[in-house]
Amino acid sequence: MEIFLSEMEREKPTRGVPKWSAVAVKVINSNSEKKVAEQFMAEVASIGRTYHINLVRLYGFCFDPTMRALVYEYVENGSLDRLLFGENKATNDQWGKFEEIAVGTAKGIAYLHEECRQRIIHYDIKPANVLLDAVFSPKLADFGLAKLCNRDSTQVPVTGFRGTPGYAAPELWKPYPVTCKCDVYSFGMLLFEMVGRRRNHDASLSETRQWLPRWTWEMFEKNELPEMLSLCGIKETNIESRENVHGGYVVCSVFT
């Protein structure tokens, strides 16, 4: 495969263009510490075993003393994080597209947990790791923290903290048993940000509204979700569908 690389900062994806298609090439500094090398191999071992429309596709990789690189399909519209919080973030009129992104992301997670020969736990579900193709179909990416486990295993041994603070399930940083449900919790945190159209923590707001999951739960218990959604700037025409998603992420984050 002939790939042309642009000038880039190492360890960050760049765009390469072979003759038949565009690809994204993630180059990792060959002098990186052992942990980075382990994440590289974890990414190859996990995503290399999968094929699903809602997972980014790995075309190949290079692992030698002078070059470590992963060759992925190129996903045109960047990350969900950029769509939610970037300069050209989406509007309320595009809520239907967000519903499709949420469903597609859930299908990708379900495939990893239930349809692979060995269950794959991603450990880092968050908007930055959900990429969007030309028609905004979601694709889970960044499997550097992923772990393969037997389908009949009820618990997974974990050494050290995994995931991203604010999205990682409590059992990943407390002495609790870890299962694939930690991905479900993280998916719930992702849904909070999709529906609220804000970061889960915003110190600029009043104390009761700073931590979005807690505020949502309090409003849910008081049966006041419509009022909360209005405060988030959601149009009345979208409130019913967003209430349904709210119920879903409350279940993800509380009952996992």
Side-chain angles (χ1 to χ4, degrees):
M1 180 186 297
E2 185 179 5
I3 301 175
F4 300 93
L5 298 180
S6 62
E7 291 295 319
M8 60 174 289
E9 180 181 352
R10 295 182 73 82
E11 297 188 17
K12 289 189 176 181
T14 189
R15 181 175 178 175
V17 186
K19 294 179 180 179
W20 52 272
S21 179
V23 297
V25 181
K26 181 178 180 181
V27 179
I28 299 174
N29 192 326
S30 60
N31 296 320
S32 296
E33 59 185 26
K34 180 180 178 182
K35 183 178 180 181
V36 175
E38 290 175 349
Q39 290 181 354
F40 178 95
M41 296 310 297
E43 197 154 357
V44 171
S46 55
I47 193 65
R49 295 167 177 254
T50 64
Y51 185 77
H52 189 275
I53 191 172
N54 296 120
L55 302 180
V56 68
R57 187 174 180 184
L58 178 67
Y59 289 132
F61 67 94
C62 174
F63 187 86
D64 66 31
T66 60
M67 169 70 74
R68 293 175 186 170
L70 298 161
V71 183
Y72 286 106
E73 65 174 307
Y74 181 69
V75 186
E76 295 89 335
N77 279 313
S79 70
L80 174 60
D81 190 272
R82 189 172 74 175
L83 184 67
L84 287 171
F85 308 117
E87 292 182 4
N88 298 315
K89 60 185 179 181
T91 65
N92 275 311
D93 294 333
Q94 296 173 295
W95 169 242
K97 185 61 65 178
F98 278 110
E99 284 187 290
E100 295 174 12
I101 292 171
V103 171
T105 303
K107 288 180 178 178
I109 296 171
Y111 171 82
L112 295 175
H113 291 179
E114 304 298 337
E115 298 178 36
C116 294
R117 178 171 297 179
Q118 280 190 291
R119 179 174 287 137
I120 299 174
I121 304 177
H122 188 282
Y123 285 118
D124 202 17
I125 304 294
K126 59 182 179 180
N129 287 339
V130 176
L131 304 183
L132 306 170
D133 68 10
V135 295
F136 290 89
S137 177
K139 295 179 182 288
L140 278 175
D142 198 344
F143 285 73
L145 299 180
K147 186 177 180 67
L148 302 174
C149 61
N150 294 327
R151 296 182 58 80
D152 56 355
S153 298
T154 57
Q155 298 179 15
V156 182
V158 175
T159 56
F161 178 80
R162 288 176 180 248
T164 301
Y167 301 97
E171 58 265 31
L172 292 175
W173 46 273
K174 290 187 175 182
Y176 299 146
V178 175
T179 71
C180 63
K181 290 183 179 180
C182 64
D183 282 349
V184 180
Y185 178 96
S186 299
F187 177 63
M189 294 298 104
L190 177 149
L191 290 179
F192 275 114
E193 294 191 333
M194 287 184 68
V195 177
R197 302 295 297 282
R198 47 158 284 194
R199 298 288 184 186
N200 280 333
H201 184 266
D202 187 344
S204 67
L205 299 174
S206 63
E207 186 174 351
T208 57
R209 294 170 57 186
Q210 285 183 5
W211 180 235
L212 181 58
R214 179 185 298 154
W215 181 39
T216 301
W217 179 250
E218 291 172 352
M219 299 296 278
F220 177 77
E221 286 189 312
K222 293 187 289 187
N223 199 29
E224 295 179 356
L225 278 182
E227 291 83 349
M228 176 196 164
L229 293 171
S230 295
L231 289 171
C232 289
I234 297 166
K235 292 183 178 180
E236 186 174 351
T237 54
N238 293 327
I239 282 182
E240 183 177 355
S241 62
R242 292 205 182 189
E243 277 191 272
N244 293 334
V245 177
H246 259 87
Y249 67 59
V250 167
V251 170
C252 288
S253 58
V254 175
F255 298 106
T256 55

